[in-house]
Amino acid sequence: MTGVVTGCGVLSAAGDSVTDLLAAVRAGSLVGTDVRGRFEEPLPAAEAPAIADFDVRRLLGRKGTSFLDRATALAMVACGRALADGGLTVDDDNRRRVGVVLGTTTGSLRSTMDFSRDTLVQEKPYLVNPVLFPNTVMNCASGQAAIRYGLRGVNATLAGGPLGFLYALRYALNAIRRGYADALLVGGVEEYTPNTAWAADLTGDGPAGEAAAVYLLRRPDAAAAGTPRAEVLAVATGFHPDDPAEGLAGCARRALATAHVRAGDVWAVAGGDPDPDTLRGVVPAAVERLPVRPALGDCQAATGALALGALLGRYAEDPAPHGRPALITGRSRDGGVAVAVVRGWRRAGDHHG
């Protein structure tokens, strides 16, 4: 069984639609936002691919949002938009069959580090603010989103760095296949803070980016009438530390075989990797490439989710690739690899995300 994408919610430095996302990816130049006035701490650069003018209270109201960390707030807004875009009304009849699966790196790195620091510098007996503790756990965003929208189904958070979204997509697809859920909000989220900015800078992965992208994935027989945005045919993962490029190629072959798709039919490859040789020899040489990283920076777990958004934007604008398969790829510095096979369509009335 496959899963169909019927709705999406995207928040990125490029904008809040898949059209904006696709335009930035195509341009290939870093989307810069002035971040100097956001924090008291120094930053590695005055500009970064961070989301501008995001105010969770303005978008969701004051109730229940006062103590949210930024990653959780971004995820909650994206989840709400995906539900609305997919036309799914959550009620007592279906809420136990609707859930959330998110990919992350560490959750909110700032919340974890700030809380840990308070345990060292505050007066004994270490008078930390207990209200802030929930923000330190990795699954804060998925839990808060479920509470906000009344979802009582599968709830999971998968830590995978740049593979986080693809791990979440695989987990969600398996949950739907095994009958544990009818619909799942699946996505990836990463916040921009001094903590993530310096981490990316010091490890050579910078500049750090910021994004949340969430998709409503449903059972094909439970999806609303009409054409979905996309269909997830297969997701494969692997670990190949000695030769990541070959590991990714093998992963792609396994995913294509599971999806019953010929490699020669693939028309596009999207992901964080700007290397034009990625999967060369597996897919056609003329394949269209949509690398996210040059435009939106190091978005870690949100990278694959943004790649899917760029593909949705591409499917929406042009009838030529409709129904044709594309790949979403990811790999981590330790040798982890993952590939998803998807195909998409333009829905009636689609002009933007």
Side-chain angles (χ1 to χ4, degrees), residues 247-276:
L248 186 67
C251 198
R253 294 187 184 99
R254 286 191 288 112
L256 289 166
T258 301
H260 303 291
V261 169
R262 295 184 304 174
D265 292 336
V266 174
W267 72 276
V269 175
D273 195 348
D275 185 354

Side-chain angles (χ1 to χ4, degrees), residues 238-255:
F239 181 63
H240 207 298
D242 295 330
D243 189 347
E246 180 55 36
L248 186 67
C251 198
R253 294 187 184 99
R254 286 191 288 112

Side-chain angles (χ1 to χ4, degrees), residues 222-311:
T227 304
R229 283 182 175 270
E231 182 178 19
V232 182
L233 301 175
V235 184
T237 62
F239 181 63
H240 207 298
D242 295 330
D243 189 347
E246 180 55 36
L248 186 67
C251 198
R253 294 187 184 99
R254 286 191 288 112
L256 289 166
T258 301
H260 303 291
V261 169
R262 295 184 304 174
D265 292 336
V266 174
W267 72 276
V269 175
D273 195 348
D275 185 354
D277 292 326
T278 299
L279 296 184
R280 192 170 297 280
V282 178
V283 297
V287 71
E288 184 171 334
R289 296 185 181 273
L290 298 171
V292 171
R293 187 186 180 91
L296 298 171
D298 181 26
C299 289
Q300 287 289 310
T303 301
L306 293 173
L308 176 55
L311 284 173

Side-chain angles (χ1 to χ4, degrees), residues 79-250:
C79 283
R81 291 181 178 179
L83 284 171
D85 185 57
L88 178 59
T89 300
V90 178
D91 55 32
D92 289 341
D93 292 332
N94 65 10
R95 69 176 74 253
R96 295 184 182 278
R97 302 286 298 171
V98 183
V100 184
V101 182
L102 295 181
T104 184
T105 300
T106 60
S108 173
L109 181 61
R110 182 180 181 88
S111 297
T112 302
M113 295 182 71
D114 286 356
F115 195 86
S116 299
R117 181 179 182 275
D118 282 350
T119 66
L120 300 174
V121 303
Q122 294 292 351
E123 293 183 8
K124 294 182 179 181
Y126 314 109
L127 297 176
V128 297
N129 186 348
V131 175
L132 300 179
F133 178 76
N135 294 342
T136 69
V137 297
M138 188 177 73
N139 63 335
C140 180
S142 62
Q144 290 287 354
I147 292 169
R148 178 84 186 185
Y149 301 110
L151 312 179
R152 298 181 182 175
V154 172
N155 193 283
T157 301
L158 289 89
L163 304 180
F165 171 70
L166 292 172
Y167 287 168
L169 191 61
R170 182 174 183 267
Y171 185 103
L173 195 60
N174 284 338
I176 287 176
R177 282 172 173 166
R178 296 182 182 187
Y180 298 143
D182 293 329
L184 292 169
L185 291 166
V186 188
V189 59
E190 296 290 352
E191 64 185 7
Y192 179 87
T193 66
N195 313 70
T196 60
W198 283 111
D201 184 74
L202 294 173
T203 57
D205 291 331
E210 179 177 59
V214 177
Y215 303 91
L216 182 60
L217 187 72
R218 307 186 69 173
R219 293 171 57 90
D221 55 1
T227 304
R229 283 182 175 270
E231 182 178 19
V232 182
L233 301 175
V235 184
T237 62
F239 181 63
H240 207 298
D242 295 330
D243 189 347
E246 180 55 36
L248 186 67

Side-chain angles (χ1 to χ4, degrees), residues 33-46 48 50-51 70 110 114 191-198 210:
T33 300
D34 191 337
V35 292
R36 288 174 294 183
R38 292 193 184 186
F39 310 100
E40 295 180 358
E41 302 94 329
L43 295 166
I51 299 169
R70 189 170 174 89
R110 182 180 181 88
D114 286 356
E191 64 185 7
Y192 179 87
T193 66
N195 313 70
T196 60
W198 283 111
E210 179 177 59

